[in-house]
Amino acid sequence: MTEEETRRKQRARFERLAQVVVDPLHRYLRRRTSADMVEDILSETMLVLWRRIDNVPGLGRGSMPDPEPDPEPGDVLPWCYGVARGCLANARRADGRRLRLVERLVRTQQQLPAGPADHSDLHAALDALGALDREVVQLWAWEGLAPRQIAEATGLTSNAVSVRLHRAKKKLAAQLGRKNAELPGHKRDEGRSGQ
């Protein structure tokens, strides 16, 4: 049997299965979840059934000659209900995660200072850098990439990235007026030998 024939038979088997199970699964899901979630969960269920068409009990393995008999609902529905139940559980877990995320974002938003932070100096300093230096700094600071990873992303060598990053940070510090600012508890000659 060619690959095309196998796909054709698989599709025909799925279509026969869908004719038998779509309406009962739709009713099953309507009784267990909100109306706005039914279609999405039914779609996910049908996708799982498509992927696992060879595992559906009572459907056969596709080796029967055409035309195959339509599946009996009593043979396939219990297994399909189990698949729908699993998809429903996944959707509920995903909904719970989304709800917890929204609640956390709301709490975080309430804890933020009232006014928006003014980063115009930082953006002006970044704009003063060349495009490649700005990209290197942003990949390092915003994306958290190491010089080796930045090199891979930009096509530079790791050494070139390290040099560009060092120079760009010095330029940014000078632009932002922090060139000679000392951190509390640190000495300028700390870590250097006295020789």
Side-chain angles (χ1 to χ4, degrees):
M1 191 177 325
T2 67
E3 188 176 324
E4 183 62 34
E5 289 173 336
T6 303
R7 273 190 268 172
R8 185 180 53 77
K9 284 188 179 223
Q10 184 181 24
R11 182 178 177 156
R13 289 171 63 223
F14 178 75
E15 287 172 356
R16 285 193 294 275
L17 175 67
Q19 288 174 352
V20 171
V21 301
V22 165
D23 288 336
L25 288 176
H26 193 269
R27 286 190 302 270
Y28 171 87
L29 292 168
R30 251 192 356 239
R31 287 188 290 266
R32 284 164 176 78
T33 189
S34 62
D36 59 330
M37 291 182 65
V38 169
E39 296 300 322
D40 290 339
I41 299 170
L42 181 60
S43 297
E44 184 65 29
T45 302
M46 297 309 291
L47 180 62
V48 171
L49 292 177
W50 168 256
R51 289 179 183 153
R52 299 190 58 201
I53 191 76
D54 290 335
N55 300 81
V56 179
L59 191 58
R61 305 276 303 164
S63 57
M64 295 180 188
D66 284 336
E68 289 183 39
D70 286 339
E72 290 296 318
D75 295 337
V76 295
L77 266 176
W79 194 82
C80 294
Y81 284 144
V83 171
R85 184 174 178 265
C87 291
L88 179 59
N90 288 343
R92 286 179 175 155
R93 280 192 297 274
D95 243 13
R97 285 191 300 269
R98 275 191 293 275
L99 183 60
R100 287 189 301 277
L101 177 61
V102 167
E103 288 170 352
R104 193 168 57 221
L105 288 172
V106 167
R107 282 193 310 269
T108 303
Q109 192 68 22
Q110 291 169 348
Q111 296 169 357
L112 291 177
D118 180 25
H119 297 293
S120 57
D121 291 345
L122 174 61
H123 290 290
L126 280 171
D127 289 341
L129 296 175
L132 189 53
D133 287 344
R134 184 172 46 252
E135 180 68 14
V136 166
V137 169
Q138 289 172 339
L139 287 171
W140 172 77
W142 293 350
E143 309 307 328
L145 298 182
R148 175 185 49 80
Q149 295 166 318
I150 296 170
E152 189 175 324
T154 59
L156 299 170
T157 65
S158 293
N159 190 42
V161 167
S162 294
V163 169
R164 282 184 176 273
L165 185 59
H166 176 74
R167 289 179 182 163
K169 287 191 316 188
K170 282 179 75 171
K171 286 179 187 175
L172 285 173
Q175 288 268 340
L176 295 172
R178 298 181 186 157
K179 184 176 181 182
N180 294 321
E182 290 185 28
L183 296 172
H186 289 72
K187 298 178 184 167
R188 285 188 62 70
D189 62 348
E190 189 173 306
R192 297 183 186 156
S193 66
Q195 296 177 4

